[in-house]
Amino acid sequence: MITRPLDLASRLRRPPRSFDVLFYVNVGLIVVFFILFGSRFVLAPGLGLEFRMPTMEGARAGAAATTHVISVPRSGLYFADGAMNAAQLRQWLEAQAKTVKQPVLLIRAAATVPLSDLTEVSALAHEAGFVKVIVGAQEAGGPENGGQRK
């Protein structure tokens, strides 16, 4: 036949009638490896579920409207439109400061982020042209911390 000049279909082995034992052993080993060595970061990277902002009495009283928000889950990692390092954060802050007349930045940092990192981000924001920088905190007796909402 002109469409199949090499007649490869006649030279192939027949497909197996059932799965052999080796197939089930391979599937079992894959499952065991995912159970033993897997973690939630292998299949779902991103912010962890343990991200907690610091708590402070009177946090709601100091609340203010902001124009831009960044998240800092750990030292050296920043999230705004996506994950950024310090150099990319500087460029992002400079670009965003020009988008509004009175830019205000909210930093949502995890409780474990060192104060030196927060002051560095705050200094970068002021250099970029942000009028005000607010570090986010939760109310100490809020519903997230076991208290009653007022």
Side-chain angles (χ1 to χ4, degrees):
M1 181 184 260
I2 192 86
T3 59
R4 298 181 186 173
L6 299 178
D7 194 27
L8 296 177
S10 66
R11 290 171 173 60
L12 293 176
R13 276 190 324 197
R14 291 183 345 162
R17 293 180 188 222
S18 65
F19 295 115
D20 57 350
V21 176
L22 188 60
F23 171 78
Y24 293 109
V25 170
N26 284 337
V27 169
L29 286 175
I30 290 172
V31 169
V32 167
F33 280 126
F34 269 101
I35 290 171
L36 292 179
F37 302 113
S39 76
R40 61 192 167 116
F41 300 111
V42 172
L43 299 177
L47 280 177
L49 297 176
E50 292 85 26
F51 181 80
R52 301 241 185 237
M53 290 177 57
T55 59
M56 183 177 76
E57 288 291 332
R60 285 195 189 129
T66 60
T67 58
H68 299 84
V69 179
I70 64 168
S71 296
V72 185
R74 62 180 166 87
S75 182
L77 180 64
Y78 311 101
F79 284 98
D81 295 333
M84 297 181 280
N85 59 22
Q88 294 167 332
L89 177 65
R90 178 186 298 270
Q91 295 172 353
W92 184 85
L93 288 171
E94 290 171 354
Q96 295 300 314
K98 296 174 185 173
T99 60
V100 293
K101 186 176 182 182
Q102 296 281 332
V104 179
L105 179 67
L106 170 64
I107 303 172
R108 294 180 2 169
T112 57
V113 175
L115 183 60
S116 61
D117 289 352
L118 294 177
T119 55
E120 180 182 332
V121 172
S122 179
L124 285 174
H126 283 296
E127 287 174 11
F130 280 85
V131 175
K132 190 174 182 182
V133 177
I134 300 170
V135 178
Q138 293 178 343
E139 186 70 37
E144 298 85 9
N145 301 313
Q148 295 288 329
R149 183 174 288 212
K150 295 179 183 179

